Protein backbone atom coordinates (compact mmCIF):
# COMPACT_ATOMS: atom_id res chain seq x y z
CA UNK A 1 0.00 0.00 0.00
CA UNK A 2 1.56 3.29 -1.01
CA UNK A 3 0.71 6.99 -0.86
CA UNK A 4 -0.52 6.82 2.74
CA UNK A 5 2.90 7.96 3.99
CA UNK A 6 2.17 5.59 6.86
CA UNK A 7 5.16 5.03 9.11
CA UNK A 8 4.42 2.03 11.30
CA UNK A 9 7.62 2.02 13.37
CA UNK A 10 9.11 -0.80 15.42
CA UNK A 11 6.84 -0.57 18.47
CA UNK A 12 3.87 -2.87 17.99
CA UNK A 13 2.13 -2.39 21.36
CA UNK A 14 -1.58 -2.87 20.84
CA UNK A 15 -0.97 -4.18 17.31
CA UNK A 16 0.81 -7.46 18.08
CA UNK A 17 -1.64 -9.42 15.93
CA UNK A 18 -1.10 -7.40 12.77
CA UNK A 19 2.56 -6.32 12.78
CA UNK A 20 5.97 -7.35 14.01
CA UNK A 21 8.78 -5.43 15.68
CA UNK A 22 11.02 -5.05 12.62
CA UNK A 23 9.74 -1.71 11.33
CA UNK A 24 11.76 1.52 11.14
CA UNK A 25 11.31 4.73 13.13
CA UNK A 26 8.22 5.83 15.04
CA UNK A 27 4.55 5.33 14.17
CA UNK A 28 2.95 8.50 12.82
CA UNK A 29 -0.75 9.41 12.60
CA UNK A 30 -1.18 7.84 9.15
CA UNK A 31 0.62 4.75 10.41
CA UNK A 32 -1.89 4.49 13.22
CA UNK A 33 -4.79 4.77 10.77
CA UNK A 34 -3.17 2.17 8.55
CA UNK A 35 -2.65 -0.23 11.46
CA UNK A 36 -6.29 0.28 12.54
CA UNK A 37 -7.44 -0.46 8.98
CA UNK A 38 -5.38 -3.67 8.95
CA UNK A 39 -6.70 -4.70 12.38
CA UNK A 40 -10.28 -4.09 11.26
CA UNK A 41 -9.81 -6.23 8.13
CA UNK A 42 -7.76 -9.01 9.77
CA UNK A 43 -4.64 -8.17 7.75
CA UNK A 44 -0.92 -8.36 8.56
CA UNK A 45 1.71 -5.76 7.60
CA UNK A 46 4.45 -7.84 5.99
CA UNK A 47 7.43 -5.47 6.12
CA UNK A 48 7.45 -5.41 9.93
CA UNK A 49 7.54 -9.18 10.44
CA UNK A 50 10.79 -10.26 8.81
CA UNK A 51 14.17 -9.15 10.24
CA UNK A 52 16.43 -7.40 7.70
CA UNK A 53 19.09 -4.73 7.65
CA UNK A 54 17.66 -1.22 7.44
CA UNK A 55 18.83 -0.93 3.83
CA UNK A 56 16.37 -3.73 2.97
CA UNK A 57 13.48 -2.11 4.88
CA UNK A 58 13.66 1.53 3.72
CA UNK A 59 11.14 2.15 0.93
CA UNK A 60 11.64 5.92 0.49
CA UNK A 61 14.66 8.19 0.60
CA UNK A 62 14.49 11.97 0.40
CA UNK A 63 16.18 13.64 -2.61
CA UNK A 64 18.98 14.97 -0.40
CA UNK A 65 19.58 11.42 0.99
CA UNK A 66 19.20 12.53 4.62
CA UNK A 67 15.77 11.13 5.49
CA UNK A 68 14.75 7.49 5.06
CA UNK A 69 11.36 5.98 5.86
CA UNK A 70 9.42 2.78 5.57
CA UNK A 71 6.19 4.16 4.15
CA UNK A 72 5.24 1.55 1.51
CA UNK A 73 3.87 -1.76 2.72
CA UNK A 74 2.65 -5.17 1.63
CA UNK A 75 -0.40 -6.41 3.53
CA UNK A 76 -1.99 -9.82 3.42
CA UNK A 77 -4.90 -11.56 5.08
CA UNK A 78 -3.96 -13.09 8.42
CA UNK A 79 -4.98 -16.62 7.47
CA UNK A 80 -2.29 -16.65 4.75
CA UNK A 81 0.43 -15.59 7.21
CA UNK A 82 2.27 -18.93 7.00
CA UNK A 83 2.41 -18.73 3.19
CA UNK A 84 4.64 -15.65 3.27
CA UNK A 85 8.34 -16.51 3.50
CA UNK A 86 9.86 -13.02 3.22
CA UNK A 87 9.10 -9.35 2.50
CA UNK A 88 11.98 -7.01 1.63
CA UNK A 89 12.89 -3.96 -0.41
CA UNK A 90 14.62 -4.43 -3.77
CA UNK A 91 16.87 -1.43 -4.31
CA UNK A 92 18.19 -2.68 -7.68
CA UNK A 93 14.97 -2.10 -9.59
CA UNK A 94 15.22 1.12 -11.58
CA UNK A 95 11.66 2.43 -11.68
CA UNK A 96 12.46 6.17 -11.96
CA UNK A 97 11.01 6.91 -8.54
CA UNK A 98 12.20 7.96 -5.11
CA UNK A 99 10.41 4.86 -3.77
CA UNK A 100 11.96 1.41 -3.82
CA UNK A 101 10.14 -1.70 -4.96
CA UNK A 102 8.94 -4.19 -2.33
CA UNK A 103 9.14 -7.89 -3.07
CA UNK A 104 7.57 -10.79 -1.26
CA UNK A 105 8.33 -14.49 -1.40
CA UNK A 106 5.45 -16.82 -0.74
CA UNK A 107 4.82 -20.51 -0.81
CA UNK A 108 1.34 -21.72 -1.65
CA UNK A 109 -0.16 -25.14 -1.14
CA UNK A 110 -2.95 -25.50 -3.63
CA UNK A 111 -5.70 -27.98 -2.94
CA UNK A 112 -6.18 -30.69 -5.46
CA UNK A 113 -9.86 -31.12 -6.13
CA UNK A 114 -10.98 -34.60 -7.16
CA UNK A 115 -12.27 -34.98 -10.66
CA UNK A 116 -16.03 -35.00 -10.86
CA UNK A 117 -17.76 -38.07 -12.15
CA UNK A 118 -20.19 -36.02 -14.18
CA UNK A 119 -20.11 -37.13 -17.80
CA UNK A 120 -20.11 -34.32 -20.30
CA UNK A 121 -22.69 -34.79 -23.03
CA UNK A 122 -21.24 -34.56 -26.48
CA UNK A 123 -23.54 -34.45 -29.42
CA UNK A 124 -22.83 -35.93 -32.81
CA UNK A 125 -22.72 -32.64 -34.73
CA UNK A 126 -21.37 -34.36 -37.84
CA UNK A 127 -24.96 -35.33 -38.57
CA UNK A 128 -25.56 -31.65 -39.41
CA UNK A 129 -23.73 -32.30 -42.70
CA UNK A 130 -26.82 -34.25 -43.78
CA UNK A 131 -29.26 -31.88 -45.60
CA UNK A 132 -32.35 -33.50 -44.00
CA UNK A 133 -31.00 -32.97 -40.49
CA UNK A 134 -29.99 -29.41 -41.37
CA UNK A 135 -33.53 -28.61 -42.52
CA UNK A 136 -35.10 -30.16 -39.42
CA UNK A 137 -32.68 -28.25 -37.23
CA UNK A 138 -33.45 -24.91 -38.90
CA UNK A 139 -37.20 -25.47 -38.60
CA UNK A 140 -36.80 -26.53 -34.97
CA UNK A 141 -34.79 -23.37 -34.15
CA UNK A 142 -37.32 -21.14 -35.94
CA UNK A 143 -40.19 -22.65 -33.92
CA UNK A 144 -38.14 -22.35 -30.74
CA UNK A 145 -37.48 -18.63 -31.21
CA UNK A 146 -41.12 -17.86 -31.95
CA UNK A 147 -42.11 -19.77 -28.79
CA UNK A 148 -39.38 -17.96 -26.84
CA UNK A 149 -40.85 -14.59 -27.75
CA UNK A 150 -44.19 -15.58 -26.19
CA UNK A 151 -42.54 -16.98 -23.05
CA UNK A 152 -40.32 -13.92 -22.54
CA UNK A 153 -43.29 -11.57 -22.79
CA UNK A 154 -45.19 -13.53 -20.10
CA UNK A 155 -42.32 -14.83 -17.90
CA UNK A 156 -40.83 -12.72 -15.11
CA UNK A 157 -38.54 -15.29 -13.43
CA UNK A 158 -35.44 -15.43 -15.64
CA UNK A 159 -33.92 -18.46 -13.82
CA UNK A 160 -37.07 -20.52 -14.40
CA UNK A 161 -37.06 -19.42 -18.04
CA UNK A 162 -33.40 -20.45 -18.45
CA UNK A 163 -34.00 -23.92 -16.94
CA UNK A 164 -36.95 -24.46 -19.25
CA UNK A 165 -34.94 -23.35 -22.30
CA UNK A 166 -31.99 -25.55 -21.38
CA UNK A 167 -34.09 -28.70 -20.94
CA UNK A 168 -35.98 -28.19 -24.20
CA UNK A 169 -32.81 -27.51 -26.18
CA UNK A 170 -31.03 -30.56 -24.77
CA UNK A 171 -33.96 -32.78 -25.66
CA UNK A 172 -34.03 -31.35 -29.16
CA UNK A 173 -30.27 -31.89 -29.64
CA UNK A 174 -30.59 -35.48 -28.39
CA UNK A 175 -33.42 -36.17 -30.81
CA UNK A 176 -31.86 -34.54 -33.89
CA UNK A 177 -28.17 -35.35 -33.52
CA UNK A 178 -27.84 -38.16 -31.03
CA UNK A 179 -24.85 -38.59 -28.79
CA UNK A 180 -21.32 -38.99 -30.06
CA UNK A 181 -19.64 -42.30 -29.28
CA UNK A 182 -16.83 -41.96 -26.80
CA UNK A 183 -13.38 -42.78 -28.13
CA UNK A 184 -10.37 -43.47 -26.00
CA UNK A 185 -6.78 -42.79 -26.91
CA UNK A 186 -5.83 -46.43 -26.42
CA UNK A 187 -8.63 -47.50 -28.77
CA UNK A 188 -7.49 -45.08 -31.47
CA UNK A 189 -3.89 -46.30 -31.09
CA UNK A 190 -5.02 -49.90 -31.51
CA UNK A 191 -6.84 -48.98 -34.70
CA UNK A 192 -3.68 -47.33 -36.05
CA UNK A 193 -1.60 -50.47 -35.42
CA UNK A 194 -4.18 -52.71 -37.08
CA UNK A 195 -4.34 -50.63 -40.26
Amino acid sequence: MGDFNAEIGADNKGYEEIMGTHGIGQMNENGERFADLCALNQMVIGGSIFPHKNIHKVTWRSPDHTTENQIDHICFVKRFRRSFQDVRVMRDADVSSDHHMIMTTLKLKLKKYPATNAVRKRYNVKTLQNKDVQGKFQISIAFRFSALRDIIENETDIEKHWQHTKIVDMKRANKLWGKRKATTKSGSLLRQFRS
Side-chain angles (χ1 to χ4, degrees):
M1 302 288 268
D3 291 336
F4 282 143
N5 291 334
E7 295 177 43
I8 56 168
D11 184 16
N12 68 346
K13 280 186 184 165
Y15 297 108
E16 293 87 357
E17 293 288 317
I18 59 136
M19 61 183 272
T21 57
H22 300 288
I24 293 178
Q26 298 293 317
M27 184 179 280
N28 66 2
E29 195 176 318
N30 284 349
E32 222 174 293
R33 286 187 190 128
F34 180 57
D36 289 338
L37 175 78
C38 289
L40 186 68
N41 292 298
Q42 299 290 310
M43 298 181 84
V44 177
I45 302 170
S48 65
I49 293 174
F50 302 99
H52 286 292
K53 294 179 182 178
N54 280 357
I55 198 167
H56 298 300
K57 295 181 195 175
V58 171
T59 61
W60 176 80
R61 181 182 285 178
S62 65
D64 62 355
H65 298 285
T66 57
T67 309
E68 295 179 332
N69 282 324
Q70 183 182 19
I71 57 173
D72 300 304
H73 307 282
I74 287 184
C75 307
F76 43 87
V77 179
K78 198 186 289 186
R79 71 171 181 233
F80 294 121
R81 165 66 186 91
R82 295 197 183 276
S83 298
F84 283 79
Q85 306 291 306
D86 192 20
V87 175
R88 63 173 282 181
V89 171
M90 299 301 292
R91 298 171 62 85
D92 303 355
D94 183 16
V95 291
S96 300
S97 173
D98 55 348
H99 293 260
H100 297 296
M101 185 173 70
I102 306 173
M103 181 187 79
T104 185
T105 307
L106 56 108
K107 184 179 183 180
L108 292 176
K109 287 185 179 180
L110 301 175
K111 269 188 178 177
K112 185 177 181 182
Y113 288 100
T116 58
N117 292 334
V119 179
R120 197 168 139 199
K121 294 178 182 177
R122 297 180 181 232
Y123 297 105
N124 188 8
V125 292
K126 287 187 178 183
T127 57
L128 280 174
Q129 293 171 350
N130 184 338
K131 296 291 181 190
D132 276 349
V133 175
Q134 270 183 10
K136 286 179 184 176
F137 180 67
Q138 287 172 347
I139 291 168
S140 170
I141 291 292
F143 283 137
R144 178 69 187 137
F145 280 119
S146 65
L148 269 177
R149 228 177 294 123
D150 297 339
I151 292 171
I152 289 172
E153 289 171 4
N154 299 326
E155 188 66 53
T156 55
D157 185 11
I158 211 72
E159 185 61 34
K160 186 177 172 186
H161 173 63
W162 162 245
Q163 291 300 326
H164 175 73
T165 304
K166 186 171 92 170
I167 290 167
V168 170
D169 287 346
M170 286 172 68
K171 284 180 182 176
R172 183 171 294 111
N174 252 344
K175 186 177 178 183
L176 290 174
W177 303 331
K179 289 197 178 127
R180 190 168 70 183
K181 290 181 183 175
T183 57
T184 59
K185 289 182 180 179
S186 58
S188 61
L189 283 173
L190 248 147
R191 282 193 292 280
Q192 287 176 358
F193 284 122
R194 286 183 185 162
S195 53

